[in-house]
Amino acid sequence: AAAHIEDVLSLPRGWLDSKESIRQPESDAIPLGKIEEWDSKTLLSADDCEVPFYKDIHLSAGNGFSDDIDDYNGYKLRFSKSTLRRHGINHADVVCVCADGDSMGPVLPDGATLGINTADKVIKDGKIYAVNHGGLLRTKILQKLPNNKIRIKSYNSEAYPDEEADADEMNIIGRVFWWSVLD
């Protein structure tokens, strides 16, 4: 069996049995910096900012639920001001929330932390937005349609087919510009 695999892959005879076959390839990754730990007592650097993290409010990546986006628990996440500026985002316009559900998976899995730019409310087709749609807080891909309509899409479109809504029925909270996933 090994000889057949070597033939199919054009490998030298005996390669699968040699030490060469189990040698790990060298990484070409270049470290860009180090991750610094911090907590609520760590002083902010000149380039750091803290933004509200509405940990108890989940934007549904499913069928949605009703809640109050202004409910705040005091949690914060830190971002680099220069990174946000490079992307045209004012740190004062950023809030973070959690995704809830599987309609946006695997890109935004259940429990992912989302960064939302609340100043970016103009729909750019195919971008991800946090919206309040009829009292449901949701995270969805939006597309503009004729006659003041919006197509609402999910990555998991098999389980969550596209929807259509009047733009007047939807309050765009902001564009999702960042997310983090821990497994």
Side-chain angles (χ1 to χ4, degrees):
H4 177 69
I5 293 170
E6 290 166 344
D7 289 341
V8 170
L9 296 175
S10 301
L11 297 171
R13 190 65 75 182
W15 187 85
L16 286 173
D17 296 322
S18 71
K19 289 183 180 178
E20 184 73 19
S21 68
I22 58 172
R23 189 179 70 172
Q24 296 296 315
E26 300 271 332
S27 172
D28 61 354
I30 301 169
L32 297 175
K34 64 180 185 169
I35 296 176
E36 295 182 27
E37 292 183 19
W38 59 271
D39 62 22
S40 60
K41 295 179 182 107
T42 306
L43 297 176
L44 288 173
S45 76
D47 186 48
D48 287 338
C49 64
E50 291 182 324
V51 301
F53 178 27
Y54 300 103
K55 190 166 176 50
D56 296 329
I57 295 174
H58 295 253
L59 289 183
S60 179
N63 289 328
F65 72 96
S66 179
D67 210 337
D68 183 358
I69 193 68
D70 291 328
D71 187 20
Y72 182 53
N73 52 28
Y75 295 123
K76 297 181 183 200
L77 291 180
R78 290 189 178 189
F79 284 87
S80 161
K81 289 179 191 173
S82 59
T83 299
L84 293 175
R85 264 193 312 272
R86 267 195 310 277
H87 294 278
I89 300 170
N90 180 342
H91 71 276
D93 296 325
V94 174
V95 297
C96 293
V97 296
C98 291
D100 187 34
D102 64 349
S103 77
M104 293 299 281
V107 176
L108 302 177
D110 184 37
T113 301
L114 313 175
I116 301 169
N117 178 3
T118 62
D120 189 351
K121 298 176 188 261
V122 176
I123 297 173
K124 294 176 190 96
D125 286 348
K127 298 293 183 184
I128 304 169
Y129 291 86
V131 300
N132 181 332
H133 180 206
L136 303 177
L137 301 181
R138 308 171 86 186
T139 308
K140 296 292 180 186
I141 303 163
L142 301 182
Q143 292 178 320
K144 293 181 277 187
L145 297 172
N147 300 318
N148 203 32
K149 299 277 189 188
I150 296 174
R151 179 173 292 125
I152 305 166
K153 299 176 66 73
S154 300
Y155 283 113
N156 184 358
S157 59
E158 210 169 285
Y160 300 89
D162 291 358
E163 302 171 48
E164 197 174 291
D166 288 323
D168 299 335
E169 297 173 0
M170 190 169 303
N171 177 25
I172 297 175
I173 298 165
R175 187 175 64 80
V176 176
F177 70 92
W178 169 89
W179 55 88
S180 178
V181 178
L182 292 176
D183 219 5

